[in-house]
Amino acid sequence: MKRKFMAIIAAAVCLLNFAACSDEKNTSDGSSFSVGENGLTEMITPEEGSQEYELGSYRVSEKGTKFYYDGEQVPDELMFALENYFMSFQNKDFEAYKNSLAFDYAERYEKYLQKDYGYGLDNSFNIQCDNIRDSMKCEITGEYDASEIDGYSGDFTITRIKADPPELAEGETVEDRTKEFFSYLDGIFEMDYYEYIKEQADDIKYLTFYIIAEGEDGEEHRIISGVDIVFAEKDGKYYTFG
């Protein structure tokens, strides 16, 4: 299923760019639709045969991002959290990034970085900003080494986000996958951080997500495909780690 959607994204993005994205520019900011009190439009189903049809139905956030998700499996607030987290990289907004992080994660990770690498969370954030921009530069040019690319900053504007529950192997559970995700943090924080988070959070969500963004060339590109992420929920709000 994950591979199928990645292939659909690739084909649809090519079609949208080939069509000069004239309709997309009118819809990516949500201006053509009425956003409800929940910060989203009603579900929009693309016309059969249109460039967007294969990507499926979506809602548009008040920030203009198209959300692809099953509301029965992925809460609206979780999509907003995913949007806000990656908007912090788009806008190079370190404070927004920190506000997206769960509980005391920022403090613990700051101590770990200073001890093992001699720099702080702000530098780690800047590295992530640069990595996503390098991905965009490679997508625009078709090159593999971003350090060899001139003429682009890699700046981007997020246009679409898709999120799904993870695709599990036979016999695997979400709990298994979540424990595996936290094993790295258990090690660097020298504690059972997963159990600590379970005690602090009202719920934990594990997702696989995809992000499409418009680059400096005016076209849409995949900058993240089929990557896993974990969010902790507290009082209806979702926070992540990383």
Side-chain angles (χ1 to χ4, degrees), residues 86-100:
F86 281 96
M87 284 280 186
S88 74
F89 299 119
Q90 170 186 300
N91 301 326
K92 297 183 179 180
D93 188 337
F94 182 56
E95 290 304 314
Y97 166 72
K98 288 197 296 183
N99 289 337
S100 295

Side-chain angles (χ1 to χ4, degrees), residues 30 33-41 60-62:
F33 303 100
S34 176
V35 175
E37 292 183 1
N38 64 347
L40 291 167
T41 65
V60 183
S61 77
E62 57 190 356

Side-chain angles (χ1 to χ4, degrees), residues 62-102:
E62 57 190 356
K63 294 181 180 178
T65 310
K66 293 183 177 180
F67 288 168
Y68 298 81
Y69 67 110
D70 181 344
E72 294 185 357
Q73 297 180 305
V74 181
D76 295 345
E77 285 295 335
L78 187 47
M79 293 300 296
F80 289 131
L82 192 56
E83 179 186 43
N84 289 336
Y85 178 60
F86 281 96
M87 284 280 186
S88 74
F89 299 119
Q90 170 186 300
N91 301 326
K92 297 183 179 180
D93 188 337
F94 182 56
E95 290 304 314
Y97 166 72
K98 288 197 296 183
N99 289 337
S100 295
L101 301 179

Side-chain angles (χ1 to χ4, degrees), residues 82 85-86 161-164 207-211 224-229:
L82 192 56
Y85 178 60
F86 281 96
I161 299 175
K162 179 173 174 63
D164 291 309
L207 295 175
T208 300
F209 70 97
Y210 309 76
I211 291 181
I224 300 176
S225 292
V227 173
D228 293 346
I229 191 169

Side-chain angles (χ1 to χ4, degrees), residues 148-169:
E148 299 293 325
I149 300 172
D150 295 321
Y152 293 103
S153 69
D155 286 347
F156 60 92
T157 300
I158 295 170
T159 55
R160 306 170 194 267
I161 299 175
K162 179 173 174 63
D164 291 309
E167 185 177 322
L168 301 173

